[in-house]
Amino acid sequence: MSARWHTFPTPEAAAEACCRHVAAILEETLTSQEIATFAVSGGSTPRLLFERLAASAVQWKRVHLFWVDERCVPPTDAESNYRLSEEHLIVPAHVPRSNVHRIHAELMPDHAARHYAEEIRDFFALEPGEMPQFDVMQLGVGPDAHTGSLFPGEALIENRESVVAAVYVDKLNTWRVTLLPGVLMAAKHSPFLVAGADKAEAVRNVFQAEYDPLKYPAQIVTHHSRRVAWFLDEPAAALLE
Ligand code: 6PG
């Protein structure tokens, strides 16, 4: 496991460090590529990161935004990951609309997943069976060690062939659309931003429990992806030895 973790006194300090890390990767990427691809997660923690990235010197006109997952709600819904990104990153950073590849989660779940998979396939010009390789994939983790919308027990955690799927999350009684493990594992850089004491057990299990991604889905990334860096506040890191 190549994953590294960095601990900070507050969520804001962790977000600041994660912002510097992501901005540096994007800028470095843009020295050798015309554009960079950046897949973001949702929830609530990423707001701290998005606000800082929006104020950074990243050349957003050359960065294409995608989503790791989305709740099956309209883009104006308070639960929408897109809305979180729009309010705190896309609008303040003036990300061109043509660079925004949101999940159309207002559609029926399977249709939204197919639509997103097609957009990714077209954008990355994927050959059949090929995985898109995002330059940066920003992730979070839930108290149950889920990441994206890959929740414990989800059979798609063992799927390495497909790119996107609609998943029904029993515990939340809701549909979501999520990138699948093959895509998460293919990312060039996978920064996690995690804050709060409620994440401490999940963080400890992801790093120190036996490898069991059906139980601890975030282990898919931490054990298989390249250049994984966790940015934690002290409460979230409290159980790490
Ligand atoms: C989502 C996210 C999800 C998130 C975790 C942690 O749609 O909820 O993509 O995977 O990263 O739930 O969310 P917080 O960081 O807000 O606790």
Side-chain angles (χ1 to χ4, degrees):
M1 174 174 34
S2 64
R4 297 170 287 122
W5 73 76
H6 311 276
T7 305
F8 301 87
T10 62
E12 291 75 12
E16 181 58 39
C18 189
C19 172
R20 286 198 301 273
H21 178 75
V22 170
I25 294 166
L26 291 173
E27 286 309 299
E28 169 64 25
T29 300
L30 293 172
T31 60
S32 58
Q33 292 174 198
E34 185 47 37
I35 61 164
T37 53
F38 179 27
V40 297
S41 288
S44 54
T45 312
R47 177 180 61 78
L48 296 172
L49 173 63
F50 294 161
E51 288 169 341
R52 288 161 175 80
L53 283 173
S56 74
V58 168
Q59 302 171 62
W60 293 107
K61 289 181 175 31
R62 297 172 62 197
V63 178
H64 284 252
L65 276 187
F66 292 79
W67 277 260
V68 174
D69 67 333
E70 183 57 278
R71 291 85 179 278
C72 287
V73 295
T76 52
D77 191 290
E79 283 294 301
S80 165
N81 289 342
Y82 168 77
R83 176 173 161 178
L84 180 79
S85 315
E86 184 184 44
E87 286 178 2
H88 301 290
L89 177 58
I90 295 167
V91 169
H94 307 293
V95 179
R97 288 287 155 183
S98 57
N99 291 20
V100 175
H101 308 271
R102 75 177 181 89
I103 300 171
H104 289 249
E106 65 276 16
L107 301 172
M108 291 301 287
D110 277 339
H111 187 184
R114 284 198 307 276
H115 180 280
Y116 191 44
E118 197 171 313
E119 177 150 5
I120 289 174
R121 196 168 27 251
D122 291 348
F123 182 87
F124 285 90
L126 297 179
E127 294 297 327
E130 188 183 4
M131 282 293 148
Q133 191 173 35
F134 287 95
D135 293 305
V136 182
M137 181 167 291
Q138 175 265 321
L139 295 164
V141 73
D144 58 2
H146 82 263
T147 194
S149 285
L150 297 171
F151 285 76
E154 172 53 59
L156 287 166
I157 284 168
E158 294 176 326
N159 181 317
R160 297 291 184 274
E161 290 72 44
S162 308
V163 172
V164 184
V167 292
Y168 185 73
V169 184
D170 284 321
K171 71 191 295 186
L172 301 175
N173 190 25
T174 182
W175 281 93
R176 298 220 181 156
V177 174
T178 187
L179 293 179
L180 293 175
V183 182
L184 303 191
M185 292 159 66
K188 293 178 187 171
H189 294 269
S190 304
F192 280 80
L193 178 60
V194 182
D198 64 328
K199 307 293 178 70
E201 191 174 341
V203 170
R204 191 264 317 276
N205 287 333
V206 168
F207 277 97
Q208 294 167 353
E210 195 173 319
Y211 181 64
D212 184 355
L214 274 170
K215 204 168 170 185
Y216 313 117
Q219 286 184 330
I220 297 165
V221 178
T222 307
H223 286 61
H224 293 292
S225 302
R226 57 181 67 80
R227 293 188 288 280
V228 182
W230 287 58
F231 297 85
L232 304 164
D233 73 350
E234 284 168 2
L239 299 180
L240 284 174
E241 284 146 19

